[in-house]
Amino acid sequence: MATRILAYRFSAFGDVAMTAPVFREFLEQNPGVEIIMVSRSNFEALFADIPNVIFKGVNLDDYKGLFGLSRLANELIKEFQPNYIANLHDVIRTKILDKIYNTKGFKVFKINKGKEEKEHLTDIWNLNKFQLKKTVERYADVFREMGFKVTLSHQLRPKVLDKSGIGFAPFAQHKGKMLPLEKSYELARVLSQKNTVYLFGGGKTETEILEKWETEIPNIRNLAGKLTLTEELNTISQLELMISMDSANMHLASLVGTRCVSVWGQTHPYAGFLGFGQSEEDVVQVKDLTCRPCSVFGDKECFRGDWACLEELNIQKIVDKI
Protein backbone atom coordinates (compact mmCIF):
# COMPACT_ATOMS: atom_id res chain seq x y z
CA MET A 1 0.00 0.00 0.00
CA ALA A 2 1.27 3.45 -0.95
CA THR A 3 2.42 5.92 1.70
CA ARG A 4 -0.12 8.72 1.75
CA ILE A 5 0.70 12.34 2.43
CA LEU A 6 -2.23 14.65 3.08
CA ALA A 7 -1.12 18.14 1.97
CA TYR A 8 -3.05 21.39 2.19
CA ARG A 9 -2.67 24.86 0.78
CA PHE A 10 -5.81 26.89 0.08
CA SER A 11 -4.47 30.06 -1.60
CA ALA A 12 -3.05 32.16 -3.27
CA PHE A 13 -3.44 30.87 -6.80
CA GLY A 14 0.22 31.35 -7.79
CA ASP A 15 1.49 29.74 -4.58
CA VAL A 16 -0.75 26.71 -5.06
CA ALA A 17 0.47 26.44 -8.68
CA MET A 18 4.08 26.40 -7.41
CA THR A 19 3.44 23.18 -5.47
CA ALA A 20 2.63 21.23 -8.65
CA PRO A 21 6.14 20.95 -10.21
CA VAL A 22 7.50 20.07 -6.75
CA PHE A 23 4.93 17.28 -6.38
CA ARG A 24 5.77 15.97 -9.85
CA GLU A 25 9.50 15.63 -9.19
CA PHE A 26 9.05 14.41 -5.61
CA LEU A 27 6.66 11.64 -6.70
CA GLU A 28 8.93 10.59 -9.59
CA GLN A 29 11.76 10.16 -7.08
CA ASN A 30 9.53 8.43 -4.49
CA PRO A 31 7.32 6.07 -6.51
CA GLY A 32 5.66 4.43 -3.48
CA VAL A 33 4.04 7.69 -2.36
CA GLU A 34 0.68 9.35 -3.05
CA ILE A 35 -0.16 12.97 -2.28
CA ILE A 36 -3.72 14.00 -1.42
CA MET A 37 -3.79 17.71 -2.28
CA VAL A 38 -6.54 19.58 -0.44
CA SER A 39 -7.23 23.01 -1.90
CA ARG A 40 -9.94 25.18 -3.42
CA SER A 41 -12.01 23.28 -5.97
CA ASN A 42 -11.23 25.67 -8.85
CA PHE A 43 -7.49 24.79 -8.64
CA GLU A 44 -7.97 21.16 -9.66
CA ALA A 45 -6.63 21.55 -13.21
CA LEU A 46 -3.19 22.49 -11.85
CA PHE A 47 -2.67 18.88 -10.76
CA ALA A 48 -4.64 17.04 -13.43
CA ASP A 49 -1.74 15.31 -15.18
CA ILE A 50 0.51 14.50 -12.21
CA PRO A 51 0.47 10.75 -11.49
CA ASN A 52 -0.12 9.81 -7.83
CA VAL A 53 -1.73 13.13 -6.89
CA ILE A 54 -5.32 12.82 -5.73
CA PHE A 55 -6.94 16.26 -5.69
CA LYS A 56 -9.57 17.01 -3.08
CA GLY A 57 -11.40 20.27 -3.71
CA VAL A 58 -13.11 21.90 -0.74
CA ASN A 59 -15.30 24.95 -0.30
CA LEU A 60 -14.02 26.57 2.89
CA ASP A 61 -17.38 28.29 3.47
CA ASP A 62 -18.71 24.81 4.32
CA TYR A 63 -16.14 24.44 7.14
CA LYS A 64 -16.23 27.64 9.16
CA GLY A 65 -14.79 28.03 12.65
CA LEU A 66 -13.26 25.43 14.93
CA PHE A 67 -16.15 22.97 14.56
CA GLY A 68 -16.13 23.24 10.79
CA LEU A 69 -12.38 22.62 10.56
CA SER A 70 -12.68 19.71 12.99
CA ARG A 71 -15.33 18.20 10.71
CA LEU A 72 -13.06 18.73 7.68
CA ALA A 73 -10.12 17.03 9.44
CA ASN A 74 -12.30 14.03 10.36
CA GLU A 75 -13.70 13.73 6.84
CA LEU A 76 -10.20 13.77 5.31
CA ILE A 77 -8.91 11.11 7.73
CA LYS A 78 -11.91 8.89 7.06
CA GLU A 79 -11.67 9.24 3.28
CA PHE A 80 -7.90 9.02 2.82
CA GLN A 81 -6.30 7.50 5.95
CA PRO A 82 -3.04 9.44 5.51
CA ASN A 83 0.36 8.50 6.97
CA TYR A 84 1.73 12.06 7.04
CA ILE A 85 0.27 15.57 7.16
CA ALA A 86 1.94 18.41 5.21
CA ASN A 87 0.88 22.00 5.94
CA LEU A 88 2.13 23.95 2.91
CA HIS A 89 0.33 27.15 3.90
CA ASP A 90 0.89 27.94 7.60
CA VAL A 91 -1.88 30.47 8.20
CA ILE A 92 -4.36 30.58 11.09
CA ARG A 93 -6.81 28.16 9.44
CA THR A 94 -4.15 25.54 8.71
CA LYS A 95 -2.53 26.00 12.12
CA ILE A 96 -5.91 25.00 13.63
CA LEU A 97 -6.03 21.96 11.33
CA ASP A 98 -2.49 21.06 12.48
CA LYS A 99 -3.58 21.13 16.13
CA ILE A 100 -6.58 18.91 15.39
CA TYR A 101 -4.36 16.38 13.60
CA ASN A 102 -1.82 16.49 16.45
CA THR A 103 -4.52 15.61 18.98
CA LYS A 104 -5.46 12.64 16.78
CA GLY A 105 -1.88 11.35 16.92
CA PHE A 106 -0.65 12.56 13.51
CA LYS A 107 2.73 14.21 13.09
CA VAL A 108 2.35 17.40 11.08
CA PHE A 109 5.18 18.79 8.96
CA LYS A 110 4.84 22.42 7.92
CA ILE A 111 6.50 24.88 5.59
CA ASN A 112 9.00 27.35 7.00
CA LYS A 113 8.02 30.50 5.10
CA GLY A 114 11.07 32.43 6.36
CA LYS A 115 8.98 35.34 7.62
CA GLU A 116 11.75 37.12 9.52
CA GLU A 117 14.26 36.96 6.69
CA LYS A 118 11.60 38.23 4.28
CA GLU A 119 10.83 41.12 6.62
CA HIS A 120 14.53 41.95 6.70
CA LEU A 121 14.76 41.66 2.90
CA THR A 122 11.88 44.12 2.41
CA ASP A 123 13.18 46.66 4.93
CA ILE A 124 13.91 49.68 2.72
CA TRP A 125 16.86 50.67 4.94
CA ASN A 126 18.53 47.28 4.51
CA LEU A 127 21.15 47.75 1.78
CA ASN A 128 22.56 44.23 2.00
CA LYS A 129 19.98 42.23 0.08
CA PHE A 130 20.55 38.70 -1.18
CA GLN A 131 18.74 35.68 -2.58
CA LEU A 132 16.61 33.79 -0.04
CA LYS A 133 15.65 30.15 -0.38
CA LYS A 134 13.26 29.54 -3.27
CA THR A 135 9.66 28.83 -2.32
CA VAL A 136 9.68 25.57 -4.28
CA GLU A 137 12.65 24.41 -2.15
CA ARG A 138 10.68 25.38 0.98
CA TYR A 139 7.88 23.07 -0.22
CA ALA A 140 10.40 20.30 -0.91
CA ASP A 141 11.87 20.78 2.59
CA VAL A 142 8.54 19.67 4.09
CA PHE A 143 8.94 16.26 2.40
CA ARG A 144 12.64 16.10 3.29
CA GLU A 145 11.74 16.64 6.93
CA MET A 146 9.49 13.57 6.71
CA GLY A 147 12.60 11.60 5.72
CA PHE A 148 12.11 11.48 1.94
CA LYS A 149 14.80 12.38 -0.57
CA VAL A 150 13.94 14.92 -3.24
CA THR A 151 16.22 16.86 -5.57
CA LEU A 152 14.51 19.53 -7.64
CA SER A 153 15.80 19.98 -11.20
CA HIS A 154 14.74 23.65 -11.56
CA GLN A 155 14.34 22.88 -15.26
CA LEU A 156 11.37 23.63 -17.50
CA ARG A 157 9.72 20.65 -19.15
CA PRO A 158 8.04 21.76 -22.37
CA LYS A 159 4.78 19.90 -22.96
CA VAL A 160 4.68 20.94 -26.61
CA LEU A 161 7.70 21.19 -28.88
CA ASP A 162 6.15 23.08 -31.78
CA LYS A 163 5.48 26.46 -30.17
CA SER A 164 4.35 29.79 -31.59
CA GLY A 165 3.00 33.16 -30.48
CA ILE A 166 3.61 35.29 -27.41
CA GLY A 167 1.37 35.39 -24.37
CA PHE A 168 1.04 38.61 -22.40
CA ALA A 169 -0.59 38.90 -18.96
CA PRO A 170 -0.41 42.61 -18.06
CA PHE A 171 -2.32 42.42 -14.75
CA ALA A 172 -1.47 41.42 -11.19
CA GLN A 173 -3.43 41.37 -7.95
CA HIS A 174 -1.63 44.42 -6.54
CA LYS A 175 -0.50 47.74 -8.01
CA GLY A 176 3.07 47.21 -6.76
CA LYS A 177 3.52 44.31 -9.16
CA MET A 178 2.02 45.82 -12.28
CA LEU A 179 3.43 47.85 -15.15
CA PRO A 180 1.37 51.03 -15.71
CA LEU A 181 -1.31 50.13 -18.26
CA GLU A 182 -0.13 52.67 -20.83
CA LYS A 183 3.29 50.94 -20.85
CA SER A 184 1.65 47.53 -21.21
CA TYR A 185 -0.47 48.85 -24.08
CA GLU A 186 2.63 50.18 -25.83
CA LEU A 187 4.42 46.85 -25.25
CA ALA A 188 1.50 44.93 -26.79
CA ARG A 189 1.59 47.28 -29.79
CA VAL A 190 5.35 46.78 -30.31
CA LEU A 191 5.18 42.99 -29.89
CA SER A 192 2.26 42.65 -32.30
CA GLN A 193 4.31 44.11 -35.16
CA LYS A 194 6.23 40.82 -35.47
CA ASN A 195 4.18 38.29 -33.49
CA THR A 196 0.68 37.14 -32.74
CA VAL A 197 0.06 38.23 -29.15
CA TYR A 198 -2.43 36.44 -26.90
CA LEU A 199 -3.74 38.48 -23.96
CA PHE A 200 -4.53 36.86 -20.60
CA GLY A 201 -6.51 38.27 -17.71
CA GLY A 202 -9.51 37.61 -15.50
CA GLY A 203 -12.51 39.40 -14.09
CA LYS A 204 -14.85 41.90 -15.72
CA THR A 205 -12.64 45.02 -15.67
CA GLU A 206 -9.54 43.30 -17.05
CA THR A 207 -11.56 41.57 -19.76
CA GLU A 208 -13.11 44.88 -20.89
CA ILE A 209 -9.69 46.57 -21.08
CA LEU A 210 -8.19 43.72 -23.10
CA GLU A 211 -11.19 43.57 -25.44
CA LYS A 212 -10.59 47.24 -26.20
CA TRP A 213 -6.90 46.55 -26.92
CA GLU A 214 -7.91 43.76 -29.31
CA THR A 215 -10.01 46.18 -31.38
CA GLU A 216 -7.25 48.83 -31.46
CA ILE A 217 -4.10 46.76 -32.09
CA PRO A 218 -3.74 44.39 -35.06
CA ASN A 219 -2.42 40.85 -34.51
CA ILE A 220 -3.79 40.69 -30.95
CA ARG A 221 -6.11 38.00 -29.59
CA ASN A 222 -7.85 38.57 -26.28
CA LEU A 223 -8.38 35.33 -24.32
CA ALA A 224 -9.50 36.92 -21.03
CA GLY A 225 -12.79 35.50 -19.81
CA LYS A 226 -12.91 32.92 -22.59
CA LEU A 227 -10.98 29.92 -21.23
CA THR A 228 -11.31 27.39 -18.45
CA LEU A 229 -8.15 26.84 -16.40
CA THR A 230 -7.48 23.61 -18.32
CA GLU A 231 -7.80 25.45 -21.65
CA GLU A 232 -5.60 28.27 -20.39
CA LEU A 233 -2.83 25.85 -19.38
CA ASN A 234 -3.13 24.11 -22.74
CA THR A 235 -2.85 27.45 -24.60
CA ILE A 236 0.16 28.62 -22.57
CA SER A 237 1.90 25.28 -23.23
CA GLN A 238 1.79 26.06 -26.98
CA LEU A 239 3.29 29.55 -26.71
CA GLU A 240 6.87 30.31 -27.61
CA LEU A 241 7.05 32.79 -24.75
CA MET A 242 4.94 34.21 -21.93
CA ILE A 243 5.32 37.75 -20.61
CA SER A 244 3.92 38.18 -17.13
CA MET A 245 4.17 40.30 -14.03
CA ASP A 246 5.33 38.56 -10.82
CA SER A 247 1.94 36.83 -10.76
CA ALA A 248 0.09 33.56 -11.30
CA ASN A 249 0.63 33.47 -15.08
CA MET A 250 4.39 33.11 -14.57
CA HIS A 251 3.70 29.99 -12.46
CA LEU A 252 1.23 28.63 -15.01
CA ALA A 253 3.95 29.00 -17.67
CA SER A 254 6.35 27.05 -15.42
CA LEU A 255 3.79 24.32 -14.95
CA VAL A 256 3.54 23.65 -18.70
CA GLY A 257 7.21 24.25 -19.52
CA THR A 258 6.92 27.60 -21.30
CA ARG A 259 9.64 30.22 -20.95
CA CYS A 260 8.47 33.37 -19.18
CA VAL A 261 9.88 36.90 -19.19
CA SER A 262 8.72 38.32 -15.84
CA VAL A 263 8.38 41.95 -14.73
CA TRP A 264 9.07 42.88 -11.09
CA GLY A 265 8.28 46.16 -9.32
CA GLN A 266 7.97 46.33 -5.52
CA THR A 267 8.70 42.61 -5.32
CA HIS A 268 11.96 40.85 -6.18
CA PRO A 269 13.05 37.31 -7.15
CA TYR A 270 15.24 37.40 -4.01
CA ALA A 271 12.11 36.62 -1.96
CA GLY A 272 12.01 33.21 -3.66
CA PHE A 273 8.96 33.44 -5.91
CA LEU A 274 10.54 33.21 -9.37
CA GLY A 275 8.65 30.57 -11.37
CA PHE A 276 9.98 27.01 -11.23
CA GLY A 277 12.63 26.52 -13.93
CA GLN A 278 12.46 30.13 -15.12
CA SER A 279 15.77 31.86 -15.82
CA GLU A 280 17.01 34.85 -13.86
CA GLU A 281 18.17 36.15 -17.25
CA ASP A 282 14.49 36.61 -18.11
CA VAL A 283 13.75 38.84 -15.12
CA VAL A 284 13.06 42.50 -15.95
CA GLN A 285 13.41 45.04 -13.12
CA VAL A 286 14.83 48.45 -12.22
CA LYS A 287 18.02 47.32 -10.52
CA ASP A 288 19.49 50.48 -9.02
CA LEU A 289 16.69 51.30 -6.55
CA THR A 290 17.94 50.62 -3.03
CA CYS A 291 14.35 50.59 -1.68
CA ARG A 292 13.56 47.43 -3.68
CA PRO A 293 12.11 45.09 -2.71
CA CYS A 294 9.86 46.87 -0.24
CA SER A 295 7.18 44.17 -0.29
CA VAL A 296 6.96 40.38 -0.59
CA PHE A 297 3.51 40.51 -2.21
CA GLY A 298 3.42 43.91 -3.95
CA ASP A 299 0.62 45.15 -1.68
CA LYS A 300 2.33 48.13 0.01
CA GLU A 301 1.99 51.81 -0.72
CA CYS A 302 5.07 53.30 -2.41
CA PHE A 303 7.46 54.68 0.23
CA ARG A 304 8.80 57.25 -2.26
CA GLY A 305 5.38 58.07 -3.63
CA ASP A 306 6.47 57.88 -7.28
CA TRP A 307 6.37 54.10 -7.98
CA ALA A 308 9.80 54.45 -9.61
CA CYS A 309 10.25 50.65 -9.70
CA LEU A 310 7.50 50.48 -12.34
CA GLU A 311 7.32 54.00 -13.78
CA GLU A 312 11.03 54.00 -14.68
CA LEU A 313 10.95 50.56 -16.28
CA ASN A 314 11.63 50.87 -19.98
CA ILE A 315 9.59 48.42 -22.07
CA GLN A 316 12.55 48.11 -24.45
CA LYS A 317 14.17 45.98 -21.72
CA ILE A 318 11.32 43.48 -22.14
CA VAL A 319 11.46 43.60 -25.96
CA ASP A 320 15.23 42.96 -25.83
CA LYS A 321 14.70 39.67 -23.92
CA ILE A 322 12.71 38.34 -26.88
Side-chain angles (χ1 to χ4, degrees), residues 79-107:
E79 187 174 352
F80 298 111
Q81 293 157 350
N83 304 92
Y84 297 95
I85 309 290
N87 177 354
L88 303 178
H89 202 168
D90 198 27
V91 291
I92 289 171
R93 181 185 278 124
T94 62
K95 286 179 200 287
I96 294 168
L97 278 174
D98 294 352
K99 284 215 163 29
I100 296 165
Y101 282 119
N102 283 147
T103 60
K104 294 179 183 296
F106 288 93
K107 187 150 191 228

Side-chain angles (χ1 to χ4, degrees), residues 107-209:
K107 187 150 191 228
V108 177
F109 298 83
K110 70 176 177 185
I111 187 169
N112 172 5
K113 294 204 276 198
K115 262 183 113 167
E116 282 179 16
E117 44 188 330
K118 284 176 183 170
E119 274 170 22
H120 183 56
L121 175 71
T122 53
D123 177 352
I124 53 170
W125 306 112
N126 163 27
L127 300 183
N128 179 26
K129 298 176 192 277
F130 52 86
Q131 179 69 53
L132 302 184
K133 181 178 279 198
K134 292 181 171 173
T135 301
V136 287
E137 288 290 351
R138 293 185 189 275
Y139 287 140
D141 280 345
V142 178
F143 301 120
R144 293 177 185 127
E145 213 183 308
M146 292 174 185
F148 295 102
K149 283 193 163 64
V150 52
T151 307
L152 299 181
S153 69
H154 298 287
Q155 297 291 316
L156 289 177
R157 296 191 189 187
K159 283 196 161 185
V160 178
L161 294 176
D162 189 19
K163 292 169 169 274
S164 68
I166 291 178
F168 181 29
F171 297 100
Q173 195 176 354
H174 302 294
K175 180 179 176 178
K177 285 184 172 190
M178 215 170 96
L179 265 184
L181 275 181
E182 57 276 15
K183 282 183 188 264
S184 285
Y185 180 89
E186 182 58 21
L187 177 61
R189 206 183 57 72
V190 171
L191 293 172
S192 70
Q193 289 166 10
K194 290 183 181 174
N195 311 273
T196 304
V197 179
Y198 298 90
L199 300 174
F200 293 83
K204 190 167 179 285
T205 312
E206 293 181 13
T207 303
E208 283 171 2
I209 291 168

Side-chain angles (χ1 to χ4, degrees), residues 270-287:
Y270 279 1
F273 291 102
L274 183 63
F276 185 90
Q278 298 297 346
S279 166
E280 291 181 19
E281 299 290 308
D282 285 331
V283 167
V284 179
Q285 56 190 341
V286 179
K287 281 190 173 162

